[in-house]
Amino acid sequence: MDTQALVDDRIHAGQRFITLLYLKNFDVKVACWVKTSEEGEWFLYIASGEVDRKGLAEAYREAYRVLEELDVPWIAASQLKLVRSDDPIVADVQETQHPLTAAFPTVSHRPQLGDISTQEVYIYADIDPEKVLLRQEVSVTYVRQETTNVWNATTRQGGFHRGVRAKGAVAYATASYEGEKPEDQRFAIVSVLVEIDPRFDDRAFLERPDTQRMLADQARRMADELFKSKHPEALVKPDVDHL
């Protein structure tokens, strides 16, 4: 019997999978986890126009490639069930989907879904394109060492934001005295929005220290590029404290 933790892991993995399918332009009309009455096992049903247009075999090949790219242990290839966009399961899912307002799947205990006898069903909400995008906010502060051209850089990681399209080094700010030349500036801040690959859109993964270091390194490289465009002769000291 599945523990709730395993069910939650499977549900979250399914959300990441259908999101990645969406980003790969693989049509997802409806998607749901179904625990069937006959086998008593979980299957991820996806109704897709890709089956209508390309046939079942080609649609499976494309979906399997995305699943392999995602590389999660909670969805086996044998659990994936692709059906046409006009399969009887679609109307029943959409009927249950109608009052759905949350992005997290809702459980249904209806005994039948299309032609499938079911024990339990988790139905995913339609993908909101604006909520697919995930960015981490990072700021890098540069401070000049006295009158030299050596700068100390300090990286600070902020929160995560969804629905933000901008990415990379998005802002440069500095303070100057009146009449001061750019080469005389002593302080600058570069703001960066790091794009999170949907394959890694997992809270536990993003909170790992090694992941945070990787994101900080990525942000620092982008920030340095913008900073050096303003101060091409600057020598930036390595940031020993990313977090």
Side-chain angles (χ1 to χ4, degrees), residues 17-87:
F17 178 50
I18 63 175
T19 298
L20 190 55
L21 285 172
Y22 169 84
L23 292 173
K24 298 285 187 179
N25 297 315
F26 186 100
D27 172 62
V28 176
K29 191 172 183 66
V30 299
C32 56
W33 277 106
V34 177
K35 190 173 186 179
T36 61
S37 297
E38 185 175 346
E39 296 97 338
E41 297 181 0
W42 288 100
F43 296 97
L44 179 58
Y45 276 84
I46 296 177
S48 172
E50 305 301 321
V51 178
D52 307 352
R53 292 186 290 272
K54 302 174 182 177
L56 195 59
E58 179 58 27
Y60 266 115
R61 277 192 288 270
E62 292 186 13
Y64 286 155
R65 282 196 292 268
V66 176
L67 184 60
E68 184 177 357
E69 185 177 335
L70 185 63
D71 189 26
V72 292
W74 302 286
I75 308 175
S78 60
Q79 292 179 299
L80 183 59
K81 301 290 185 181
L82 299 181
V83 298
R84 292 177 55 87
S85 62
D86 59 355
D87 189 277

Side-chain angles (χ1 to χ4, degrees), residues 104-120:
F104 198 76
T106 290
V107 63
S108 170
H109 294 285
R110 60 186 302 159
Q112 194 82 12
L113 202 63
D115 299 328
I116 309 164
S117 297
T118 65
Q119 295 183 34
E120 195 170 3

Side-chain angles (χ1 to χ4, degrees), residues 145-198:
Q145 290 185 5
E146 300 179 347
T147 59
T148 71
N149 206 23
V150 178
W151 297 70
N152 294 324
T154 304
T155 304
R156 292 288 180 265
Q157 290 170 276
F160 291 90
H161 305 282
R162 288 197 181 275
V164 178
R165 293 188 176 278
K167 60 183 178 180
V170 294
Y172 175 91
T174 188
S176 301
Y177 292 106
E178 185 177 352
E180 189 175 48
K181 299 177 181 179
E183 58 267 26
D184 297 327
Q185 293 170 357
R186 303 178 58 83
F187 171 84
I189 297 177
V190 177
S191 299
V192 181
L193 291 172
V194 182
E195 181 180 17
I196 306 299
D197 190 306

Side-chain angles (χ1 to χ4, degrees), residues 203-214:
R203 179 173 295 275
F205 178 81
L206 292 173
E207 290 178 349
R208 284 169 39 177
D210 58 334
T211 303
Q212 287 289 292
R213 284 193 295 272
M214 177 188 69

